[in-house]
Amino acid sequence: MSTTGATADPLAALGSLPGVADSVESVRKSVDRVYGHRVMRRRSNEITSEAALRGARGSAALSGADWALEEVRRRSDFGVDDEARVMGAALRLTAEAGQLLSIWRQSPLRVLARLHLVAAADKGDEIGRPRQAGETVDEPLIELPLPSAAEVSGRLEGLSELISAGSSAPALVTAAVVQGELLALRPFVSHNGLVARAAARIVLVGSGLDPKSVCPAEVGHAELGRAAYLAALDGYVSGTPEGMAAWIAHCGSAIELGARESTAVCEALQRGAA
């Protein structure tokens, strides 16, 4: 995303793209429906915990570890193979994201570095910092052209400035841009998809749209499917108004599906208590 232009708030300008206002309103209604459920008034911590688990499972599925939810619950060893390591990284990021809310607005780049450090769970020199010239990226499920390290540095700085400056843009728009930009740039040598989705989650929670983190967009992205996810991302990367609007709408649909998932959890808990 270009951070230059005639407007001082390019994120807010995206909110005026055709169809985006409808997506924003639809997301708000879906989120309100969960928060208005009677179970949320008594057992919100349980809903948050369940949403975290399901969100981690959904994010891992998009990164190649498509496990059944019960398998995620059952397993305790997440280091035995590549898929297990992806799932472990997703679970660690979900737990860590909530600890970084207060830092995000002041230092987004610091948060992103921390997320990568947590995801990679390694001590290599390339962990916890943007990649440098000549370093390769292990992100096989995203086949877009890879921006240079210099372009990554400039665009990350621009994104950080946008976040730190604040915006009147709806949370959906900001979260979609953060996720789309990180997926397009792949700024780290690994785990970029997981980090991008964790950063979008921080935006949604920190903005106040989903303060209890009970509407896991990752669930919706996984349900919509990897092919649709990558096709929508192509729209973001194109930079056209139509492509950007399509990506934002796709992210909105994912949040709505995540909200629907937690509403179903509420209903199940209510039936169990009856």
Side-chain angles (χ1 to χ4, degrees):
M1 176 190 177
S2 173
T3 59
T4 60
T7 177
D9 191 349
L11 290 175
L14 294 175
S16 64
L17 291 174
V20 169
D22 291 339
S23 293
V24 169
E25 179 62 21
S26 185
V27 164
R28 169 54 69 187
K29 288 180 179 178
S30 295
V31 173
D32 286 348
R33 194 171 299 118
V34 179
Y35 278 84
H37 198 284
R38 59 185 299 181
V39 170
M40 277 292 293
R41 293 194 291 272
R42 307 190 309 273
R43 305 174 70 176
S44 64
N45 288 342
E46 292 177 65
I47 307 302
T48 295
S49 296
E50 185 65 19
L53 185 69
R54 295 181 184 221
R57 192 216 71 82
S59 189
L62 291 168
S63 287
D66 193 359
W67 291 10
L69 186 61
E70 290 311 312
E71 176 72 1
V72 183
R73 293 190 203 279
R74 183 185 67 81
R75 290 284 287 269
S76 59
D77 183 357
F78 294 99
V80 295
D81 55 41
D82 288 345
E83 284 196 9
R85 283 189 283 273
V86 168
M87 184 62 68
L91 290 166
R92 289 192 301 274
L93 283 173
T94 297
E96 184 72 13
Q99 310 302 313
L100 299 172
L101 290 169
S102 62
I103 307 172
W104 172 254
R105 179 70 177 271
Q106 287 72 37
S107 186
L109 298 184
R110 179 181 165 195
V111 169
L112 294 175
R114 175 61 185 171
L115 290 173
H116 185 246
L117 188 66
V118 169
D122 200 346
K123 295 182 180 179
D125 291 342
E126 73 278 11
I127 303 304
R129 61 156 174 78
R131 56 186 167 86
Q132 299 175 356
E135 291 181 335
T136 58
V137 174
D138 180 14
E139 202 74 41
L141 301 176
I142 300 177
E143 299 178 351
L144 296 167
L146 191 67
S148 69
E151 182 179 351
V152 167
S153 178
R155 287 173 62 175
L156 277 180
E157 190 62 38
L159 181 64
S160 177
E161 290 174 359
L162 282 178
I163 299 300
S164 297
S167 172
S168 61
L172 166 61
V173 172
T174 303
V177 167
V178 166
Q179 184 176 179
E181 193 73 352
L182 293 175
L183 291 170
L185 292 177
R186 281 145 291 161
F188 302 107
V189 296
S190 64
H191 299 90
N192 290 285
L194 295 175
V195 168
R197 290 183 287 275
R201 164 60 36 201
I202 289 173
V203 172
L204 294 173
V205 174
S207 68
L209 175 65
D210 182 18
K212 295 183 183 293
S213 195
V214 295
C215 302
E218 303 91 338
V219 168
H221 283 304
E223 184 172 337
L224 291 167
R226 192 183 303 156
Y229 188 65
L230 296 176
L233 178 61
D234 283 342
Y236 177 86
V237 173
S238 75
T240 64
E242 296 80 11
M244 296 289 285
W247 168 249
I248 293 168
H250 187 85
C251 290
S253 295
I255 297 171
E256 291 182 58
L257 289 170
R260 187 181 71 180
E261 183 92 348
S262 286
T263 300
V265 172
C266 287
E267 294 291 340
L269 288 174
Q270 183 169 280
R271 287 194 298 273

